[in-house]
């Protein structure tokens, strides 16, 4: 059975990572062009670990950014509600002030 590549020795098209040509061409244990053990253990495992760590941190970063956006929206909404309430109280105070002026004017006239 001729395997193109295996899990332990995947076929690579990078010439630097290809296995060296062995003088014994009768053995078919390794597929032609499979990566050597040195390349698999040296670079690939660490890059896989880093990539895995980075990929595991992506949802946390997205969640953190989402929560920051939600907090910013909530602060803006709170600020807008406070502004609306302040304007409402100001109008109410102006109406009460006008009512008091009218009442004073009516008391002075009679």
């Amino acid at each position: 059975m001729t395997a193109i590549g295996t899990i332990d020795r995947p076929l690579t098209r990078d010439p630097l990572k290809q296995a060296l040509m062995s003088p014994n061409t009768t053995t078919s244990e390794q597929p032609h062009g499979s990566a050597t053990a040195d390349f698999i253990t040296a670079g690939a495992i660490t890059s896989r670990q880093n990539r895995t760590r980075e990929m595991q941190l992506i949802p946390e970063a997205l969640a953190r950014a989402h929560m920051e956006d939600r907090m910013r929206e909530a602060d803006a909404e709170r600020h807008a509600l406070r502004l609306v309430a302040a304007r409402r109280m100001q109008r109410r105070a102006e109406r009460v002030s006008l009512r008091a002026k009218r009442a004073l004017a009516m008391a002075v006239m009679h």
Side-chain angles (χ1 to χ4, degrees), residues 27 29 31 38 41 44:
T27 56
E29 292 178 17
D38 293 338
T41 56

Side-chain angles (χ1 to χ4, degrees), residues 83-96:
L83 187 63
V84 167
R87 286 181 181 162
R88 190 180 305 131
M89 285 189 271
Q90 183 180 4
R91 285 194 302 264
R92 186 179 296 165
E94 287 172 358
R95 282 195 305 264
V96 169

Side-chain angles (χ1 to χ4, degrees), residues 16-100:
L16 296 175
K17 293 182 181 178
Q18 285 182 355
L20 301 173
M21 293 295 290
S22 61
N24 187 4
T25 57
T26 58
T27 56
S28 61
E29 292 178 17
Q30 295 180 357
H32 174 68
S34 65
T36 60
D38 293 338
F39 286 110
I40 291 174
T41 56
I45 292 176
T46 56
S47 68
R48 279 189 211 125
Q49 286 175 345
N50 289 338
R51 185 172 56 228
T52 302
R53 193 175 304 121
E54 290 170 5
M55 290 176 78
Q56 285 175 349
L57 294 178
I58 287 173
E60 292 180 17
L62 287 172
R64 195 175 297 112
H66 180 68
M67 286 305 295
E68 287 175 5
D69 288 345
R70 296 290 305 264
M71 290 296 286
R72 219 175 291 119
E73 288 174 8
D75 287 340
E77 189 174 345
R78 261 186 256 126
H79 182 69
L81 287 174
R82 276 192 231 121
L83 187 63
V84 167
R87 286 181 181 162
R88 190 180 305 131
M89 285 189 271
Q90 183 180 4
R91 285 194 302 264
R92 186 179 296 165
E94 287 172 358
R95 282 195 305 264
V96 169
S97 173
L98 285 174
R99 211 176 297 142

